């Protein structure tokens, strides 16, 4: 399969919907997160007017834009698909235990990192909202809600990789903080 980040959206969706193991839920979560970052970045781009520069909001907008990297999430989509393919290989082939442990750890690390990054970005966008161009705050909020959905989706991918109980609890705490931010906006 081609790199997810180079696929047109319609082709990615067709590939995701197909009866094949990858891309799957982890890649879907990562692409959703990229969309959330893009929406928030657009809201920040509209907060760079002259009056935003005078109030200090432009500086915050530029900082948010630089933090909303969509390429890291698109790379995570590709990484997730690759990690799952490697994991499948361990079910079909004899793989040395140390290599199998590394493959399993990577399959868990990718969605875990996705949850953490979504959480971090949601908090950044939330902190930016008071400075956002009031005509476009809804798009910043779309970024928050889209990232929140991506975080919850990535958590489901974490769960299929059998994380330790303390890791599940840590990630659940991040998801609760995300939910608190969303509840404040609703």
């Amino acid at each position: 399969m081609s790199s997810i980040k180079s696929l047109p959206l319609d082709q990615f969706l067709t590939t995701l919907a197909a009866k094949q193991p990858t891309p799957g839920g982890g890649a879907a979560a990562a692409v959703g997160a990229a969309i959330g970052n893009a929406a928030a970045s657009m809201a920040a781009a509209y907060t760079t007017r002259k009056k935003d520069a005078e109030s200090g909001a432009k500086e915050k907008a530029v900082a948010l834009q630089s933090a909303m990297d969509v390429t890291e999430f698109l790379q995570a989509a590709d990484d997730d698909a690759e990690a799952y393919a490697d994991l499948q290989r361990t079910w079909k082939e004899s793989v040395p235990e140390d290599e199998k442990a590394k493959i399993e750890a990577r399959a868990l690390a990718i969605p875990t990192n996705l949850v953490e990054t979504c959480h971090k970005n949601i908090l950044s966008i939330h902190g930016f909202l008071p400075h956002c161009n009031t005509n476009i705050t809804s798009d910043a909020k779309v970024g928050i809600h889209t990232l929140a959905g991506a975080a919850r989706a990535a958590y489901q991918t974490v769960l299929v990789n059998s994380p330790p109980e303390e890791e599940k609890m840590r990630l659940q705490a991040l998801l609760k903080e995300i939910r608190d931010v969303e509840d404040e906006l609703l």
Side-chain angles (χ1 to χ4, degrees):
M1 183 183 78
S2 299
S3 169
I4 291 169
K5 63 185 170 189
S6 66
L7 290 177
L9 183 59
D10 63 335
Q11 190 176 349
F12 168 72
L13 295 174
T14 300
T15 304
L16 179 64
K19 185 180 177 183
Q20 59 189 28
T22 60
V31 170
I35 292 169
N37 266 15
S41 186
M42 186 253 300
Y46 275 98
T47 309
T48 56
R49 302 162 298 177
K50 182 179 178 183
K51 68 180 181 177
D52 297 319
E54 292 167 358
S55 71
K58 179 179 179 178
E59 183 179 325
K60 291 172 180 21
V62 170
L64 184 69
Q65 280 183 289
S66 68
M68 296 294 111
D69 181 15
V70 299
T71 59
E72 73 176 307
F73 286 130
L74 295 176
Q75 184 60 53
D78 282 330
D79 292 347
D80 184 77
E82 182 182 300
Y84 188 75
D86 288 344
L87 191 60
Q88 275 191 313
R89 185 173 51 85
T90 69
W91 304 333
K92 299 173 184 175
E93 300 173 12
S94 177
V95 177
E97 283 302 312
D98 62 329
E99 183 181 344
K100 183 178 179 184
K102 287 178 186 174
I103 290 169
E104 289 171 346
R106 180 170 183 242
L108 176 59
I110 293 166
T112 297
N113 182 290
L114 185 56
V115 172
E116 294 165 342
T117 306
C118 287
H119 174 264
K120 175 183 65 101
N121 290 2
I122 287 166
L123 295 181
S124 294
I125 299 164
H126 186 250
F128 171 71
L129 280 175
H131 311 282
C132 187
N133 175 335
T134 56
N135 297 319
I136 197 117
T137 57
S138 63
D139 292 291
K141 292 173 185 178
V142 164
I144 288 173
H145 293 301
T146 306
L147 283 161
R152 288 189 296 272
Y155 180 71
Q156 294 304 312
T157 303
V158 167
L159 292 178
V160 299
N161 287 291
S162 304
E165 192 61 34
E166 61 274 4
E167 182 65 353
K168 285 196 309 192
M169 290 172 53
R170 184 183 74 80
L171 294 174
Q172 288 170 355
L174 296 180
L175 293 174
K176 179 172 182 334
E177 287 180 33
I178 289 169
R179 186 173 43 251
D180 292 344
V181 169
E182 282 194 293
D183 286 347
E184 180 186 316
L185 299 177
L186 296 175

